Amino acid sequence: MIDHLRRYMPILDWGRTYDRKAFSNDMIAAVIVTIMLIPQSLAYALLAGLPPEAGIYASIAPIILYAIFGTSRALAVGPVAVVSLLTASAVGQVAEQGTAGYAVAALTLAFLSGGFLVLMGVFRLGFFANFLSHPVIAGFITASGILIATSQLKHILGISSHGHTLPEMLGSIFAHLNEVNWITLAIGVSATGFLFWVRGNLRPALRKLGTPPLISDILTKAGPVAAVVATTLSVWLLGLNDRGVKIVGEVPQSLPPLTLPGFTPDLLSALLVPAILISIIGFVESVSVAQTLAAKKRQRIDPDQELIGLGAANLGAAFTGGYPVTGGFARSVVNFDAGAETPAAGAFTAVGLAIAAVALTPLVYFLPNATLAATIIVAVLSLVDLSILQKTWRYSRADFTAVAATIVLTLGLGVEVGVASGVTISVLLHLYKTSRPHVAEVGLVPGTQHFRNILRHKVETDPALVTLRVDESLYFVNARFLEDLVQKRVTNGCGIQNVVLMFSAVNEVDYSALESLEAINHRLKDMGVGLHLSEVKGPVMDRLKRSHFIDDLNGRVFLAQHDAWAALSKQNGQAKAAE
């Protein structure tokens, strides 16, 4: 019973060995991450089209729930840029921003996402995330970063604009340039420049001055807080809000409220597909970060349990005034670098954010939206990696096509189309690659028992014997390809008496492929050519024996390819006769 509970509640595992040292390290990490998350949470709520307090609410209960059910000891869960953008895009289709219906739709989106993730975790379906290839994910995140940064320009300029695609956003911005508020622009540009400088130069500068590493890290992570304090004081002291500078305004001074998602059929059906896409994207991003950080400490995570942990976090957000969340790259790296030992660091961060929600929210009344926009821009531009285009172009034109298509579709048609196209392209790319399996004709390396590609190596061959090494599993997509390849090779070759299919790399043969093998066998038999198999793996042979294929085989099954060569090669027979 206890072991079963540990499977679904990892806190029962690491909690048994929790000590004072771990507590100290977790507290230090929590302080650093809390300082970072206060302005970031407000900013991401703005990006999602929600009131700023929703960002803090989404960073409290979800973190605690993940600490109970998650397996990563460094992952920091909460609002992230890409998921916030996806939320704004999905919820904006069913409700108008600023209305009660918009907030309810965001809660419903978190509820659907959480439920979907939990179900995937219970049924151990984490492998579905593998259908999104890394190049496609990189392309989508790059395009999303560009969209997010562009969407925040209106706050930097102090204008009103709209749009969900890059052409719409840019067109709207250019149409409203005559409305630029120059004071807002000065605040936004100054805050952006300062944050970029802090990110790249403050830590080295402090280290040169002899500042201890821990203090340097804390001060660097507190850069956004410094920008928030400076710009808020400027607006308050100079009365800049009366001169057109848009501010956050009143933020409720309270702990996260108990809320209910909407359960109307129309709302659920409208948000179901976006919720699934958000879940998959969030899970892929989260588990990638978690696995990377776990490997650095020789720890491991359970992807299926991560689904449950992230699902619980999203369900928590749905009932406490938040919106969809996932594990964030930046905050998780900060949490790890700050020395977090266990998920308890996240729980302590939640306590710090709860204190901020109760005690500090009045202090952000005069916080300009331009500063929050600057925080978002600086954070998301680190996600933009256009070099992926050059890398994939050099390595694989097919991968380049997938990345380029994902970027173009996301920028041109919106994030939902971009995500859907990314999934579709990933699957189609896999099907395309496996539909044309690599099949090499091989010969014997002189003086050895090894067989290699005749186009790459100097090998011994026999004109009466053709050996084809199949380097992929055989299934319905590529079965006919092998059938046609064997037919073409035998038809074009004169004097061929035997064909050997070398199955050393074949892990699976489905029923469609079995039918193709039977067709090959019958055709070769009619031509007076023997069909043989070599190096067939045990599970594959077990399945083949369940059919009549082995009994009807117009040839033999050899344990090793060299055995087939010894038995079938005329050259080998002539050498033995000469002896």
Side-chain angles (χ1 to χ4, degrees), residues 322-347:
Y323 65 98
V325 298
T326 192
F329 175 76
R331 69 183 66 188
S332 298
V333 171
V334 170
N335 195 38
F336 179 85
D337 291 341
E341 293 271 349
T342 71

Side-chain angles (χ1 to χ4, degrees), residues 108-118 275-276 278-279 311 314-315 324-325:
T108 306
L109 192 63
F111 173 78
L112 290 172
S113 178
F116 179 72
L117 288 166
V118 169
I276 292 174
I278 286 174
S279 300
N314 277 279
L315 291 175
V325 298

Side-chain angles (χ1 to χ4, degrees), residues 294-552:
K296 292 183 178 181
K297 288 190 175 181
R298 297 190 178 185
Q299 298 168 348
R300 64 174 298 274
I301 67 165
D302 181 350
D304 293 315
Q305 183 60 30
E306 283 297 289
L307 285 166
I308 295 176
L310 292 173
N314 277 279
L315 291 175
F319 291 99
T320 56
Y323 65 98
V325 298
T326 192
F329 175 76
R331 69 183 66 188
S332 298
V333 171
V334 170
N335 195 38
F336 179 85
D337 291 341
E341 293 271 349
T342 71
F348 298 149
T349 299
V351 173
L353 290 171
I355 294 173
V358 172
L360 302 181
T361 49
L363 301 180
V364 300
Y365 181 91
F366 290 100
L367 173 61
N369 289 344
T371 303
L372 295 179
T375 302
I376 293 174
I377 290 173
V378 173
V380 301
L381 286 183
S382 64
L383 303 176
V384 176
D385 179 20
L386 292 175
S387 67
I388 190 68
L389 291 170
Q390 181 183 17
K391 294 174 183 175
T392 52
W393 175 263
R394 290 179 177 176
Y395 188 77
S396 168
R397 299 299 164 85
D399 286 334
F400 169 81
T401 301
V403 173
T406 302
I407 291 176
V408 170
L409 290 173
T410 302
L411 293 178
L413 299 177
V415 289
E416 289 187 5
V417 174
V419 174
S421 65
V423 175
T424 303
I425 291 170
S426 294
V427 174
L428 292 178
L429 187 61
H430 169 73
L431 293 177
Y432 170 75
K433 289 179 177 178
T434 57
S435 70
R436 302 177 62 84
H438 183 262
V439 179
E441 184 171 345
V442 298
L444 178 65
V445 178
T448 72
Q449 295 186 7
H450 301 293
F451 290 79
R452 294 292 184 268
N453 193 329
I454 64 173
L455 300 178
R456 294 177 178 270
H457 303 273
K458 293 181 179 180
V459 293
E460 297 177 6
T461 60
D462 186 333
L465 174 63
V466 172
T467 297
L468 300 175
R469 189 189 66 217
V470 184
D471 290 336
E472 299 246 6
S473 291
L474 298 175
Y475 70 120
F476 66 95
V477 173
N478 59 25
R480 286 298 301 271
F481 178 84
L482 178 64
E483 193 175 332
D484 294 339
L485 182 67
V486 172
Q487 181 72 16
K488 180 180 178 180
R489 179 65 182 88
V490 174
T491 303
N492 294 338
C494 299
I496 295 176
Q497 298 180 5
N498 292 286
V499 173
V500 179
L501 296 181
M502 187 175 173
F503 270 23
S504 54
V506 176
N507 298 314
E508 178 74 20
V509 176
D510 75 356
Y511 193 77
S512 297
L514 173 64
E515 291 184 332
S516 288
L517 291 175
E518 290 175 340
I520 293 171
N521 184 52
H522 289 313
R523 289 175 186 170
L524 293 182
K525 185 175 183 180
D526 292 341
M527 298 170 65
V529 177
L531 175 64
H532 312 269
L533 304 180
S534 72
E535 302 190 6
V536 183
K537 294 184 177 179
V540 176
M541 180 58 73
D542 292 341
R543 182 161 293 183
L544 292 177
K545 285 181 177 178
R546 297 175 195 167
S547 68
H548 296 289
F549 175 71
I550 298 298
D551 295 332
D552 297 337

Side-chain angles (χ1 to χ4, degrees), residues 154-155 157-162 172-173 175-177 179-180 246:
K154 63 183 179 182
H155 298 297
L157 297 170
I159 63 176
S160 298
S161 68
H162 63 278
S172 182
I173 289 172
H176 293 82
L177 280 179
E179 304 172 6
V180 171
K246 295 181 180 180

